[in-house]
Every structure is written in structure tokens, then in C-alpha cells.
Amino acid sequence: MYFFRKIDMVVEKIGQHPSLADIANDEVAQYRKTMAKLDAQEFHKAIGLAAHGVGVGSFVYLRRVFERLITNRFEEFKSAEGWDNSRFYAARMEDKITLLQDHLPDFLVRNRKIYSILSVGVHALDEKDCLKWFDVMKQSILIILEDDKKKKEELARRELFSQAIERFEAKSENSS
């Protein structure tokens, strides 16, 4: 037996299997391998909260995931680039993205306002407005994760081919 309730003109089926959160999380599953454990957990929480009508809370978790995507990229490249920790951590998010632009997906660099939108959601929007914009923000993060995944796959593929060429060259030199 199912029970229905009306929430802000949206009818939700109580006891629905799979739940709306399960359906949304299936969409994200392919990126979990490339995400840090905490990011995957908090992205999952954001989706679950949104599926249960908690808009502001879902924005909080999306914003935290976004912040760590940027911070992790800084940590990955700071030594090679000679960047200063104190300047980075004191900077506004838009400036951090500008600093990291050569190491971030083009989509993120072109749409650096994603963070501002998430911040407005946390500080100024109501539940209804956050829920209205949740899918756009979730999809933005998914696009960033997809771009990162493609880049990592391409780099891994190039490395495999480079190793194969090196093995061929070594074998050719030994046969001569």
C-alpha cells in the first residue's frame, strides 16, 4: 500500500522503490571512483536531501564538494607551479579558479559563477528556490567530474601507448 502527500504542488509517493534519491544516485555512480570518499558521501547527501525536499541543506553539501574540487586541484599542482598556500587560501573562489585555470576543466573556468550561485543558495534562497535550482547545480558538478574523468582516461591511455612504444623500441634495439 502506498501513501501520497502533497508538498508545494509536488506529489510524492511515500514508500516508493526505488526512491528519487536512489534514481539520482545511480546517475552519479560512475564518478564515485574518481571522487574522494568524503566528496562522494557529501554528493550523495546533497542528492538525498534534495529528494526529500531539503533545498538549502542540499546546496550546502554541493558547495562543500565544489570547494574541495578546487582545493584538491591546488594541492595537486602547487609544488609544480610554485604556488603559495597562504595566498591561495586567503583568495576568493573566483580568484582561485583563475589561478588554477590551466588545471581545471574549461566548463568550470567559463562557469566560475557556479560557486556564487551555491553561496547565494546557502545564504539567501529559500528551500523552494534551492530545490528549483538543485538539478542545475548538480549537473554542473557532474559536468566537471565528467571532464576530469575523460582527462584522466586520456592521460592513462597515452601512458599505456608510451609504455608500449618504449617496450617496442627496447625490443628492437635488443634484436639488432
Side-chain angles (χ1 to χ4, degrees), residues 39 42-43 59-72 93-94 97 104 107-109 111-116 118 137 140-141 144:
D39 290 340
E42 291 193 350
F43 201 56
F59 263 54
V60 168
Y61 283 108
L62 287 181
R63 188 173 107 158
R64 289 169 53 103
V65 169
F66 185 90
E67 288 169 344
R68 277 194 301 274
L69 288 172
I70 301 302
T71 302
N72 291 344
M93 183 58 71
E94 201 162 319
I97 292 170
L104 293 170
F107 174 83
L108 191 158
V109 174
N111 295 285
R112 63 188 70 189
K113 295 291 183 188
I114 294 168
Y115 185 77
S116 297
L118 290 169
M137 295 294 94
S140 295
I141 290 176
I144 294 164

Side-chain angles (χ1 to χ4, degrees), residues 143-174:
I143 290 169
I144 294 164
L145 294 171
E146 178 65 24
D147 286 353
D148 278 346
K149 180 181 166 202
K150 285 179 182 175
K151 184 176 182 179
K152 287 177 183 176
E153 288 171 352
E154 179 183 339
L155 290 173
R157 191 171 58 250
R158 288 174 187 248
E159 181 61 28
L160 282 173
F161 282 108
S162 292
Q163 290 172 2
I165 291 168
E166 287 173 12
R167 284 192 306 270
F168 176 82
E169 288 175 338
K171 192 173 187 175
S172 294
E173 289 174 4
N174 290 339

Side-chain angles (χ1 to χ4, degrees), residues 88-154:
F88 177 80
Y89 286 103
R92 292 178 27 245
M93 183 58 71
E94 201 162 319
D95 296 330
K96 291 176 182 181
I97 292 170
T98 299
L99 174 71
L100 293 165
Q101 66 186 355
D102 293 337
H103 303 288
L104 293 170
D106 289 335
F107 174 83
L108 191 158
V109 174
R110 284 192 319 272
N111 295 285
R112 63 188 70 189
K113 295 291 183 188
I114 294 168
Y115 185 77
S116 297
I117 295 168
L118 290 169
S119 292
V120 167
V122 169
H123 298 292
L125 297 181
D126 60 17
E127 294 288 336
K128 187 176 177 182
D129 287 332
C130 284
L131 289 172
K132 183 172 130 182
W133 289 100
F134 177 79
D135 196 56
V136 172
M137 295 294 94
K138 179 186 81 170
Q139 291 302 323
S140 295
I141 290 176
L142 288 175
I143 290 169
I144 294 164
L145 294 171
E146 178 65 24
D147 286 353
D148 278 346
K149 180 181 166 202
K150 285 179 182 175
K151 184 176 182 179
K152 287 177 183 176
E153 288 171 352
E154 179 183 339

